[in-house]
Amino acid sequence: LTLVFIGDGAPSGNYGYTNSGYSVYEEENERLTESLRTKVSAIKSLSIEIGTEVKNQNKILSEMDNDFDSTGGLLGATMGRLRTLSRGSQTKLLCYMMLFALFVFFVIYWIIKLR
Protein backbone atom coordinates (compact mmCIF):
# COMPACT_ATOMS: atom_id res chain seq x y z
CA LEU A 1 0.00 0.00 0.00
CA THR A 2 1.28 3.42 -0.89
CA LEU A 3 -0.34 6.45 0.63
CA VAL A 4 0.11 9.79 -1.06
CA PHE A 5 -0.42 12.84 1.13
CA ILE A 6 -0.32 16.30 -0.37
CA GLY A 7 -0.54 19.32 1.88
CA ASP A 8 -3.66 21.45 1.80
CA GLY A 9 -1.73 24.64 1.00
CA ALA A 10 0.32 23.18 -1.88
CA PRO A 11 -0.34 24.95 -5.13
CA SER A 12 -1.61 22.69 -7.88
CA GLY A 13 0.98 23.88 -10.39
CA ASN A 14 4.09 22.91 -8.37
CA TYR A 15 3.47 19.15 -8.61
CA GLY A 16 1.75 19.10 -11.97
CA TYR A 17 -1.58 18.03 -10.40
CA THR A 18 -4.83 19.67 -11.34
CA ASN A 19 -7.54 20.12 -8.77
CA SER A 20 -9.30 17.00 -10.07
CA GLY A 21 -6.08 14.97 -9.81
CA TYR A 22 -5.58 16.10 -6.25
CA SER A 23 -9.13 15.00 -5.49
CA VAL A 24 -8.48 11.55 -6.98
CA TYR A 25 -5.44 11.01 -4.73
CA GLU A 26 -7.35 12.28 -1.73
CA GLU A 27 -10.22 9.87 -2.44
CA GLU A 28 -7.76 7.01 -2.88
CA ASN A 29 -6.11 7.90 0.45
CA GLU A 30 -9.52 7.95 2.14
CA ARG A 31 -10.40 4.58 0.63
CA LEU A 32 -7.09 3.05 1.70
CA THR A 33 -7.44 4.61 5.17
CA GLU A 34 -10.92 3.11 5.55
CA SER A 35 -9.63 -0.26 4.37
CA LEU A 36 -6.81 -0.09 6.91
CA ARG A 37 -9.26 0.95 9.63
CA THR A 38 -11.46 -2.08 8.82
CA LYS A 39 -8.48 -4.44 8.95
CA VAL A 40 -7.27 -3.00 12.26
CA SER A 41 -10.76 -3.38 13.71
CA ALA A 42 -10.88 -7.02 12.58
CA ILE A 43 -7.46 -7.71 14.11
CA LYS A 44 -8.53 -6.04 17.36
CA SER A 45 -11.67 -8.17 17.66
CA LEU A 46 -9.68 -11.29 16.79
CA SER A 47 -7.07 -10.53 19.46
CA ILE A 48 -9.82 -9.98 22.04
CA GLU A 49 -11.34 -13.36 21.14
CA ILE A 50 -7.92 -15.01 21.41
CA GLY A 51 -7.42 -13.45 24.84
CA THR A 52 -10.80 -14.76 26.00
CA GLU A 53 -10.00 -18.24 24.68
CA VAL A 54 -6.61 -18.24 26.44
CA LYS A 55 -8.30 -17.31 29.74
CA ASN A 56 -10.82 -20.14 29.32
CA GLN A 57 -8.08 -22.65 28.46
CA ASN A 58 -6.02 -21.56 31.49
CA LYS A 59 -9.07 -22.06 33.71
CA ILE A 60 -9.62 -25.56 32.30
CA LEU A 61 -5.93 -26.43 32.77
CA SER A 62 -6.05 -25.21 36.36
CA GLU A 63 -9.10 -27.39 37.07
CA MET A 64 -7.37 -30.38 35.46
CA ASP A 65 -4.29 -29.77 37.60
CA ASN A 66 -6.45 -29.80 40.73
CA ASP A 67 -8.18 -33.01 39.58
CA PHE A 68 -4.83 -34.70 38.91
CA ASP A 69 -3.56 -33.65 42.34
CA SER A 70 -6.59 -35.13 44.08
CA THR A 71 -6.36 -38.31 41.99
CA GLY A 72 -2.67 -38.60 42.83
CA GLY A 73 -3.50 -38.33 46.53
CA LEU A 74 -6.18 -41.02 46.22
CA LEU A 75 -3.82 -43.28 44.30
CA GLY A 76 -1.10 -42.76 46.90
CA ALA A 77 -3.50 -43.74 49.70
CA THR A 78 -4.56 -46.84 47.77
CA MET A 79 -0.96 -47.86 47.19
CA GLY A 80 -0.28 -47.41 50.91
CA ARG A 81 -3.16 -49.74 51.77
CA LEU A 82 -1.91 -52.25 49.22
CA ARG A 83 1.57 -52.16 50.79
CA THR A 84 0.03 -52.70 54.21
CA LEU A 85 -1.93 -55.65 52.89
CA SER A 86 1.14 -57.14 51.23
CA ARG A 87 3.15 -56.88 54.48
CA GLY A 88 0.75 -59.27 56.20
CA SER A 89 1.37 -62.97 56.23
CA GLN A 90 1.18 -64.67 52.87
CA THR A 91 -0.71 -67.62 54.31
CA LYS A 92 -3.49 -65.35 55.51
CA LEU A 93 -3.80 -63.79 52.05
CA LEU A 94 -3.75 -67.22 50.41
CA CYS A 95 -6.48 -68.40 52.79
CA TYR A 96 -8.70 -65.43 51.91
CA MET A 97 -8.20 -66.09 48.22
CA MET A 98 -9.10 -69.79 48.60
CA LEU A 99 -12.24 -68.95 50.59
CA PHE A 100 -13.29 -66.44 47.92
CA ALA A 101 -12.68 -68.98 45.14
CA LEU A 102 -14.76 -71.61 47.00
CA PHE A 103 -17.56 -69.10 47.53
CA VAL A 104 -17.61 -68.22 43.81
CA PHE A 105 -17.53 -71.93 42.92
CA PHE A 106 -20.53 -72.71 45.17
CA VAL A 107 -22.50 -69.72 43.83
CA ILE A 108 -21.92 -70.83 40.25
CA TYR A 109 -22.77 -74.47 41.17
CA TRP A 110 -25.97 -73.34 42.87
CA ILE A 111 -27.00 -71.19 39.86
CA ILE A 112 -26.40 -74.11 37.47
CA LYS A 113 -28.30 -76.56 39.72
CA LEU A 114 -31.38 -74.27 39.91
CA ARG A 115 -31.80 -74.26 36.12
Side-chain angles (χ1 to χ4, degrees):
L1 293 176
T2 303
L3 298 177
V4 178
F5 292 103
I6 300 176
D8 291 336
S12 61
N14 286 349
Y15 298 104
Y17 299 128
T18 62
N19 285 338
S20 63
Y22 178 75
S23 176
V24 169
Y25 286 118
E26 189 174 322
E27 288 173 8
E28 184 179 354
N29 280 341
E30 289 297 324
R31 183 182 56 79
L32 291 173
T33 303
E34 186 59 35
S35 173
L36 186 60
R37 186 177 293 124
T38 304
K39 290 176 184 177
V40 168
S41 176
I43 290 173
K44 178 183 176 186
S45 65
L46 185 63
S47 64
I48 289 172
E49 289 176 14
I50 289 172
T52 303
E53 185 65 26
V54 166
K55 287 178 187 175
N56 289 339
Q57 294 295 326
N58 281 339
K59 181 181 174 187
I60 290 171
L61 286 174
S62 175
E63 291 172 359
M64 283 179 60
D65 188 38
N66 293 338
D67 290 344
F68 281 131
D69 285 344
S70 65
T71 303
L74 181 63
L75 185 61
T78 303
M79 291 302 291
R81 288 187 204 125
L82 188 59
R83 274 190 224 105
T84 303
L85 181 63
S86 68
R87 279 190 222 131
S89 74
Q90 298 298 329
T91 56
K92 193 176 186 182
L93 183 62
L94 186 59
C95 182
Y96 285 141
M97 288 177 60
M98 290 298 290
L99 287 174
F100 179 73
L102 283 174
F103 173 74
V104 170
F105 175 74
F106 282 122
V107 168
I108 293 173
Y109 177 75
W110 183 66
I111 290 173
I112 292 173
K113 191 160 182 149
L114 288 178
R115 283 185 160 187

mmCIF file with all atom_site columns, all heavy atoms in Angstrom, residues 32-53:
data_model
loop_
_atom_site.group_PDB
_atom_site.id
_atom_site.type_symbol
_atom_site.label_atom_id
_atom_site.label_alt_id
_atom_site.label_comp_id
_atom_site.label_asym_id
_atom_site.label_entity_id
_atom_site.label_seq_id
_atom_site.pdbx_PDB_ins_code
_atom_site.Cartn_x
_atom_site.Cartn_y
_atom_site.Cartn_z
_atom_site.occupancy
_atom_site.B_iso_or_equiv
_atom_site.pdbx_formal_charge
_atom_site.auth_seq_id
_atom_site.auth_comp_id
_atom_site.auth_asym_id
_atom_site.auth_atom_id
_atom_site.pdbx_PDB_model_num
ATOM 1   N N   . LEU A 1 32 ? -8.118  3.894   1.089  1.00 0.00 ? 32 LEU A N   1
ATOM 2   C CA  . LEU A 1 32 ? -7.089  3.054   1.700  1.00 0.00 ? 32 LEU A CA  1
ATOM 3   C C   . LEU A 1 32 ? -7.104  3.185   3.220  1.00 0.00 ? 32 LEU A C   1
ATOM 4   O O   . LEU A 1 32 ? -6.907  2.202   3.941  1.00 0.00 ? 32 LEU A O   1
ATOM 5   C CB  . LEU A 1 32 ? -5.709  3.424   1.143  1.00 0.00 ? 32 LEU A CB  1
ATOM 6   C CG  . LEU A 1 32 ? -5.474  3.073   -0.327 1.00 0.00 ? 32 LEU A CG  1
ATOM 7   C CD1 . LEU A 1 32 ? -4.142  3.649   -0.796 1.00 0.00 ? 32 LEU A CD1 1
ATOM 8   C CD2 . LEU A 1 32 ? -5.525  1.583   -0.544 1.00 0.00 ? 32 LEU A CD2 1
ATOM 9   N N   . THR A 1 33 ? -7.360  4.394   3.720  1.00 0.00 ? 33 THR A N   1
ATOM 10  C CA  . THR A 1 33 ? -7.441  4.606   5.169  1.00 0.00 ? 33 THR A CA  1
ATOM 11  C C   . THR A 1 33 ? -8.611  3.831   5.754  1.00 0.00 ? 33 THR A C   1
ATOM 12  O O   . THR A 1 33 ? -8.491  3.193   6.801  1.00 0.00 ? 33 THR A O   1
ATOM 13  C CB  . THR A 1 33 ? -7.589  6.114   5.494  1.00 0.00 ? 33 THR A CB  1
ATOM 14  O OG1 . THR A 1 33 ? -6.498  6.811   4.928  1.00 0.00 ? 33 THR A OG1 1
ATOM 15  C CG2 . THR A 1 33 ? -7.632  6.345   6.980  1.00 0.00 ? 33 THR A CG2 1
ATOM 16  N N   . GLU A 1 34 ? -9.737  3.858   5.073  1.00 0.00 ? 34 GLU A N   1
ATOM 17  C CA  . GLU A 1 34 ? -10.916 3.112   5.546  1.00 0.00 ? 34 GLU A CA  1
ATOM 18  C C   . GLU A 1 34 ? -10.655 1.610   5.506  1.00 0.00 ? 34 GLU A C   1
ATOM 19  O O   . GLU A 1 34 ? -11.037 0.876   6.422  1.00 0.00 ? 34 GLU A O   1
ATOM 20  C CB  . GLU A 1 34 ? -12.139 3.469   4.697  1.00 0.00 ? 34 GLU A CB  1
ATOM 21  C CG  . GLU A 1 34 ? -13.430 2.875   5.195  1.00 0.00 ? 34 GLU A CG  1
ATOM 22  C CD  . GLU A 1 34 ? -13.774 3.308   6.606  1.00 0.00 ? 34 GLU A CD  1
ATOM 23  O OE1 . GLU A 1 34 ? -13.495 4.461   6.991  1.00 0.00 ? 34 GLU A OE1 1
ATOM 24  O OE2 . GLU A 1 34 ? -14.323 2.468   7.356  1.00 0.00 ? 34 GLU A OE2 1
ATOM 25  N N   . SER A 1 35 ? -9.980  1.158   4.456  1.00 0.00 ? 35 SER A N   1
ATOM 26  C CA  . SER A 1 35 ? -9.629  -0.262  4.368  1.00 0.00 ? 35 SER A CA  1
ATOM 27  C C   . SER A 1 35 ? -8.709  -0.665  5.514  1.00 0.00 ? 35 SER A C   1
ATOM 28  O O   . SER A 1 35 ? -8.897  -1.712  6.142  1.00 0.00 ? 35 SER A O   1
ATOM 29  C CB  . SER A 1 35 ? -8.949  -0.539  3.032  1.00 0.00 ? 35 SER A CB  1
ATOM 30  O OG  . SER A 1 35 ? -8.456  -1.849  2.974  1.00 0.00 ? 35 SER A OG  1
ATOM 31  N N   . LEU A 1 36 ? -7.731  0.184   5.797  1.00 0.00 ? 36 LEU A N   1
ATOM 32  C CA  . LEU A 1 36 ? -6.811  -0.089  6.905  1.00 0.00 ? 36 LEU A CA  1
ATOM 33  C C   . LEU A 1 36 ? -7.548  -0.071  8.236  1.00 0.00 ? 36 LEU A C   1
ATOM 34  O O   . LEU A 1 36 ? -7.307  -0.919  9.101  1.00 0.00 ? 36 LEU A O   1
ATOM 35  C CB  . LEU A 1 36 ? -5.681  0.950   6.892  1.00 0.00 ? 36 LEU A CB  1
ATOM 36  C CG  . LEU A 1 36 ? -4.552  0.751   7.887  1.00 0.00 ? 36 LEU A CG  1
ATOM 37  C CD1 . LEU A 1 36 ? -3.862  -0.584  7.637  1.00 0.00 ? 36 LEU A CD1 1
ATOM 38  C CD2 . LEU A 1 36 ? -3.564  1.897   7.787  1.00 0.00 ? 36 LEU A CD2 1
ATOM 39  N N   . ARG A 1 37 ? -8.468  0.868   8.404  1.00 0.00 ? 37 ARG A N   1
ATOM 40  C CA  . ARG A 1 37 ? -9.259  0.954   9.634  1.00 0.00 ? 37 ARG A CA  1
ATOM 41  C C   . ARG A 1 37 ? -10.081 -0.323  9.834  1.00 0.00 ? 37 ARG A C   1
ATOM 42  O O   . ARG A 1 37 ? -10.180 -0.855  10.938 1.00 0.00 ? 37 ARG A O   1
ATOM 43  C CB  . ARG A 1 37 ? -10.171 2.181   9.573  1.00 0.00 ? 37 ARG A CB  1
ATOM 44  C CG  . ARG A 1 37 ? -10.918 2.444   10.862 1.00 0.00 ? 37 ARG A CG  1
ATOM 45  C CD  . ARG A 1 37 ? -11.759 3.718   10.801 1.00 0.00 ? 37 ARG A CD  1
ATOM 46  N NE  . ARG A 1 37 ? -10.873 4.887   10.706 1.00 0.00 ? 37 ARG A NE  1
ATOM 47  C CZ  . ARG A 1 37 ? -10.931 5.792   9.746  1.00 0.00 ? 37 ARG A CZ  1
ATOM 48  N NH1 . ARG A 1 37 ? -11.827 5.700   8.790  1.00 0.00 ? 37 ARG A NH1 1
ATOM 49  N NH2 . ARG A 1 37 ? -10.101 6.807   9.735  1.00 0.00 ? 37 ARG A NH2 1
ATOM 50  N N   . THR A 1 38 ? -10.672 -0.845  8.748  1.00 0.00 ? 38 THR A N   1
ATOM 51  C CA  . THR A 1 38 ? -11.458 -2.075  8.818  1.00 0.00 ? 38 THR A CA  1
ATOM 52  C C   . THR A 1 38 ? -10.578 -3.258  9.215  1.00 0.00 ? 38 THR A C   1
ATOM 53  O O   . THR A 1 38 ? -10.965 -4.077  10.058 1.00 0.00 ? 38 THR A O   1
ATOM 54  C CB  . THR A 1 38 ? -12.123 -2.356  7.457  1.00 0.00 ? 38 THR A CB  1
ATOM 55  O OG1 . THR A 1 38 ? -12.905 -1.233  7.089  1.00 0.00 ? 38 THR A OG1 1
ATOM 56  C CG2 . THR A 1 38 ? -12.989 -3.588  7.509  1.00 0.00 ? 38 THR A CG2 1
ATOM 57  N N   . LYS A 1 39 ? -9.396  -3.334  8.630  1.00 0.00 ? 39 LYS A N   1
ATOM 58  C CA  . LYS A 1 39 ? -8.480  -4.435  8.953  1.00 0.00 ? 39 LYS A CA  1
ATOM 59  C C   . LYS A 1 39 ? -8.004  -4.359  10.389 1.00 0.00 ? 39 LYS A C   1
ATOM 60  O O   . LYS A 1 39 ? -7.923  -5.374  11.083 1.00 0.00 ? 39 LYS A O   1
ATOM 61  C CB  . LYS A 1 39 ? -7.293  -4.432  7.988  1.00 0.00 ? 39 LYS A CB  1
ATOM 62  C CG  . LYS A 1 39 ? -7.672  -4.830  6.581  1.00 0.00 ? 39 LYS A CG  1
ATOM 63  C CD  . LYS A 1 39 ? -6.513  -4.719  5.633  1.00 0.00 ? 39 LYS A CD  1
ATOM 64  C CE  . LYS A 1 39 ? -6.957  -5.025  4.205  1.00 0.00 ? 39 LYS A CE  1
ATOM 65  N NZ  . LYS A 1 39 ? -5.882  -4.870  3.240  1.00 0.00 ? 39 LYS A NZ  1
ATOM 66  N N   . VAL A 1 40 ? -7.701  -3.162  10.875 1.00 0.00 ? 40 VAL A N   1
ATOM 67  C CA  . VAL A 1 40 ? -7.266  -2.997  12.263 1.00 0.00 ? 40 VAL A CA  1
ATOM 68  C C   . VAL A 1 40 ? -8.381  -3.392  13.217 1.00 0.00 ? 40 VAL A C   1
ATOM 69  O O   . VAL A 1 40 ? -8.151  -4.046  14.240 1.00 0.00 ? 40 VAL A O   1
ATOM 70  C CB  . VAL A 1 40 ? -6.791  -1.549  12.514 1.00 0.00 ? 40 VAL A CB  1
ATOM 71  C CG1 . VAL A 1 40 ? -6.622  -1.266  13.994 1.00 0.00 ? 40 VAL A CG1 1
ATOM 72  C CG2 . VAL A 1 40 ? -5.482  -1.282  11.783 1.00 0.00 ? 40 VAL A CG2 1
ATOM 73  N N   . SER A 1 41 ? -9.608  -3.017  12.874 1.00 0.00 ? 41 SER A N   1
ATOM 74  C CA  . SER A 1 41 ? -10.762 -3.383  13.708 1.00 0.00 ? 41 SER A CA  1
ATOM 75  C C   . SER A 1 41 ? -10.935 -4.897  13.757 1.00 0.00 ? 41 SER A C   1
ATOM 76  O O   . SER A 1 41 ? -11.209 -5.471  14.816 1.00 0.00 ? 41 SER A O   1
ATOM 77  C CB  . SER A 1 41 ? -12.017 -2.718  13.153 1.00 0.00 ? 41 SER A CB  1
ATOM 78  O OG  . SER A 1 41 ? -13.145 -3.118  13.864 1.00 0.00 ? 41 SER A OG  1
ATOM 79  N N   . ALA A 1 42 ? -10.763 -5.559  12.612 1.00 0.00 ? 42 ALA A N   1
ATOM 80  C CA  . ALA A 1 42 ? -10.880 -7.022  12.577 1.00 0.00 ? 42 ALA A CA  1
ATOM 81  C C   . ALA A 1 42 ? -9.784  -7.673  13.414 1.00 0.00 ? 42 ALA A C   1
ATOM 82  O O   . ALA A 1 42 ? -10.038 -8.622  14.160 1.00 0.00 ? 42 ALA A O   1
ATOM 83  C CB  . ALA A 1 42 ? -10.811 -7.514  11.134 1.00 0.00 ? 42 ALA A CB  1
ATOM 84  N N   . ILE A 1 43 ? -8.571  -7.156  13.317 1.00 0.00 ? 43 ILE A N   1
ATOM 85  C CA  . ILE A 1 43 ? -7.460  -7.711  14.105 1.00 0.00 ? 43 ILE A CA  1
ATOM 86  C C   . ILE A 1 43 ? -7.699  -7.485  15.592 1.00 0.00 ? 43 ILE A C   1
ATOM 87  O O   . ILE A 1 43 ? -7.424  -8.354  16.416 1.00 0.00 ? 43 ILE A O   1
ATOM 88  C CB  . ILE A 1 43 ? -6.122  -7.106  13.642 1.00 0.00 ? 43 ILE A CB  1
ATOM 89  C CG1 . ILE A 1 43 ? -5.771  -7.628  12.252 1.00 0.00 ? 43 ILE A CG1 1
ATOM 90  C CG2 . ILE A 1 43 ? -5.009  -7.429  14.622 1.00 0.00 ? 43 ILE A CG2 1
ATOM 91  C CD1 . ILE A 1 43 ? -4.564  -6.970  11.628 1.00 0.00 ? 43 ILE A CD1 1
ATOM 92  N N   . LYS A 1 44 ? -8.242  -6.341  15.959 1.00 0.00 ? 44 LYS A N   1
ATOM 93  C CA  . LYS A 1 44 ? -8.528  -6.044  17.360 1.00 0.00 ? 44 LYS A CA  1
ATOM 94  C C   . LYS A 1 44 ? -9.555  -7.020  17.911 1.00 0.00 ? 44 LYS A C   1
ATOM 95  O O   . LYS A 1 44 ? -9.365  -7.593  18.991 1.00 0.00 ? 44 LYS A O   1
ATOM 96  C CB  . LYS A 1 44 ? -9.047  -4.614  17.505 1.00 0.00 ? 44 LYS A CB  1
ATOM 97  C CG  . LYS A 1 44 ? -9.406  -4.255  18.928 1.00 0.00 ? 44 LYS A CG  1
ATOM 98  C CD  . LYS A 1 44 ? -9.987  -2.855  19.022 1.00 0.00 ? 44 LYS A CD  1
ATOM 99  C CE  . LYS A 1 44 ? -10.433 -2.557  20.436 1.00 0.00 ? 44 LYS A CE  1
ATOM 100 N NZ  . LYS A 1 44 ? -11.112 -1.266  20.518 1.00 0.00 ? 44 LYS A NZ  1
ATOM 101 N N   . SER A 1 45 ? -10.648 -7.243  17.179 1.00 0.00 ? 45 SER A N   1
ATOM 102 C CA  . SER A 1 45 ? -11.670 -8.172  17.663 1.00 0.00 ? 45 SER A CA  1
ATOM 103 C C   . SER A 1 45 ? -11.125 -9.592  17.731 1.00 0.00 ? 45 SER A C   1
ATOM 104 O O   . SER A 1 45 ? -11.433 -10.341 18.667 1.00 0.00 ? 45 SER A O   1
ATOM 105 C CB  . SER A 1 45 ? -12.917 -8.107  16.787 1.00 0.00 ? 45 SER A CB  1
ATOM 106 O OG  . SER A 1 45 ? -12.631 -8.561  15.489 1.00 0.00 ? 45 SER A OG  1
ATOM 107 N N   . LEU A 1 46 ? -10.286 -9.959  16.772 1.00 0.00 ? 46 LEU A N   1
ATOM 108 C CA  . LEU A 1 46 ? -9.677  -11.290 16.790 1.00 0.00 ? 46 LEU A CA  1
ATOM 109 C C   . LEU A 1 46 ? -8.760  -11.455 17.994 1.00 0.00 ? 46 LEU A C   1
ATOM 110 O O   . LEU A 1 46 ? -8.774  -12.494 18.663 1.00 0.00 ? 46 LEU A O   1
ATOM 111 C CB  . LEU A 1 46 ? -8.909  -11.527 15.492 1.00 0.00 ? 46 LEU A CB  1
ATOM 112 C CG  . LEU A 1 46 ? -8.305  -12.910 15.297 1.00 0.00 ? 46 LEU A CG  1
ATOM 113 C CD1 . LEU A 1 46 ? -9.408  -13.955 15.252 1.00 0.00 ? 46 LEU A CD1 1
ATOM 114 C CD2 . LEU A 1 46 ? -7.505  -12.942 14.019 1.00 0.00 ? 46 LEU A CD2 1
ATOM 115 N N   . SER A 1 47 ? -7.975  -10.433 18.305 1.00 0.00 ? 47 SER A N   1
ATOM 116 C CA  . SER A 1 47 ? -7.070  -10.535 19.457 1.00 0.00 ? 47 SER A CA  1
ATOM 117 C C   . SER A 1 47 ? -7.851  -10.581 20.769 1.00 0.00 ? 47 SER A C   1
ATOM 118 O O   . SER A 1 47 ? -7.444  -11.275 21.705 1.00 0.00 ? 47 SER A O   1
ATOM 119 C CB  . SER A 1 47 ? -6.077  -9.368  19.459 1.00 0.00 ? 47 SER A CB  1
ATOM 120 O OG  . SER A 1 47 ? -6.759  -8.141  19.628 1.00 0.00 ? 47 SER A OG  1
ATOM 121 N N   . ILE A 1 48 ? -8.981  -9.908  20.844 1.00 0.00 ? 48 ILE A N   1
ATOM 122 C CA  . ILE A 1 48 ? -9.824  -9.984  22.044 1.00 0.00 ? 48 ILE A CA  1
ATOM 123 C C   . ILE A 1 48 ? -10.386 -11.388 22.195 1.00 0.00 ? 48 ILE A C   1
ATOM 124 O O   . ILE A 1 48 ? -10.396 -11.954 23.300 1.00 0.00 ? 48 ILE A O   1
ATOM 125 C CB  . ILE A 1 48 ? -10.944 -8.927  21.977 1.00 0.00 ? 48 ILE A CB  1
ATOM 126 C CG1 . ILE A 1 48 ? -10.350 -7.533  22.169 1.00 0.00 ? 48 ILE A CG1 1
ATOM 127 C CG2 . ILE A 1 48 ? -12.013 -9.191  23.035 1.00 0.00 ? 48 ILE A CG2 1
ATOM 128 C CD1 . ILE A 1 48 ? -11.325 -6.405  21.925 1.00 0.00 ? 48 ILE A CD1 1
ATOM 129 N N   . GLU A 1 49 ? -10.827 -11.983 21.092 1.00 0.00 ? 49 GLU A N   1
ATOM 130 C CA  . GLU A 1 49 ? -11.336 -13.359 21.140 1.00 0.00 ? 49 GLU A CA  1
ATOM 131 C C   . GLU A 1 49 ? -10.245 -14.340 21.533 1.00 0.00 ? 49 GLU A C   1
ATOM 132 O O   . GLU A 1 49 ? -10.485 -15.281 22.296 1.00 0.00 ? 49 GLU A O   1
ATOM 133 C CB  . GLU A 1 49 ? -11.929 -13.742 19.785 1.00 0.00 ? 49 GLU A CB  1
ATOM 134 C CG  . GLU A 1 49 ? -13.227 -13.041 19.461 1.00 0.00 ? 49 GLU A CG  1
ATOM 135 C CD  . GLU A 1 49 ? -13.739 -13.378 18.076 1.00 0.00 ? 49 GLU A CD  1
ATOM 136 O OE1 . GLU A 1 49 ? -13.246 -14.348 17.465 1.00 0.00 ? 49 GLU A OE1 1
ATOM 137 O OE2 . GLU A 1 49 ? -14.628 -12.648 17.601 1.00 0.00 ? 49 GLU A OE2 1
ATOM 138 N N   . ILE A 1 50 ? -9.034  -14.143 21.026 1.00 0.00 ? 50 ILE A N   1
ATOM 139 C CA  . ILE A 1 50 ? -7.915  -15.012 21.405 1.00 0.00 ? 50 ILE A CA  1
ATOM 140 C C   . ILE A 1 50 ? -7.625  -14.884 22.892 1.00 0.00 ? 50 ILE A C   1
ATOM 141 O O   . ILE A 1 50 ? -7.391  -15.879 23.585 1.00 0.00 ? 50 ILE A O   1
ATOM 142 C CB  . ILE A 1 50 ? -6.667  -14.691 20.551 1.00 0.00 ? 50 ILE A CB  1
ATOM 143 C CG1 . ILE A 1 50 ? -6.869  -15.148 19.114 1.00 0.00 ? 50 ILE A CG1 1
ATOM 144 C CG2 . ILE A 1 50 ? -5.415  -15.333 21.142 1.00 0.00 ? 50 ILE A CG2 1
ATOM 145 C CD1 . ILE A 1 50 ? -5.777  -14.709 18.162 1.00 0.00 ? 50 ILE A CD1 1
ATOM 146 N N   . GLY A 1 51 ? -7.637  -13.659 23.414 1.00 0.00 ? 51 GLY A N   1
ATOM 147 C CA  . GLY A 1 51 ? -7.416  -13.451 24.843 1.00 0.00 ? 51 GLY A CA  1
ATOM 148 C C   . GLY A 1 51 ? -8.458  -14.153 25.690 1.00 0.00 ? 51 GLY A C   1
ATOM 149 O O   . GLY A 1 51 ? -8.143  -14.777 26.710 1.00 0.00 ? 51 GLY A O   1
ATOM 150 N N   . THR A 1 52 ? -9.723  -14.077 25.273 1.00 0.00 ? 52 THR A N   1
ATOM 151 C CA  . THR A 1 52 ? -10.796 -14.761 26.000 1.00 0.00 ? 52 THR A CA  1
ATOM 152 C C   . THR A 1 52 ? -10.596 -16.268 25.966 1.00 0.00 ? 52 THR A C   1
ATOM 153 O O   . THR A 1 52 ? -10.757 -16.955 26.982 1.00 0.00 ? 52 THR A O   1
ATOM 154 C CB  . THR A 1 52 ? -12.160 -14.396 25.377 1.00 0.00 ? 52 THR A CB  1
ATOM 155 O OG1 . THR A 1 52 ? -12.315 -12.977 25.395 1.00 0.00 ? 52 THR A OG1 1
ATOM 156 C CG2 . THR A 1 52 ? -13.300 -15.034 26.135 1.00 0.00 ? 52 THR A CG2 1
ATOM 157 N N   . GLU A 1 53 ? -10.223 -16.802 24.806 1.00 0.00 ? 53 GLU A N   1
ATOM 158 C CA  . GLU A 1 53 ? -9.996  -18.243 24.677 1.00 0.00 ? 53 GLU A CA  1
ATOM 159 C C   . GLU A 1 53 ? -8.822  -18.694 25.545 1.00 0.00 ? 53 GLU A C   1
ATOM 160 O O   . GLU A 1 53 ? -8.878  -19.746 26.179 1.00 0.00 ? 53 GLU A O   1
ATOM 161 C CB  . GLU A 1 53 ? -9.754  -18.610 23.215 1.00 0.00 ? 53 GLU A CB  1
ATOM 162 C CG  . GLU A 1 53 ? -9.622  -20.080 22.954 1.00 0.00 ? 53 GLU A CG  1
ATOM 163 C CD  . GLU A 1 53 ? -10.898 -20.856 23.229 1.00 0.00 ? 53 GLU A CD  1
ATOM 164 O OE1 . GLU A 1 53 ? -11.989 -20.271 23.155 1.00 0.00 ? 53 GLU A OE1 1
ATOM 165 O OE2 . GLU A 1 53 ? -10.780 -22.055 23.540 1.00 0.00 ? 53 GLU A OE2 1
#
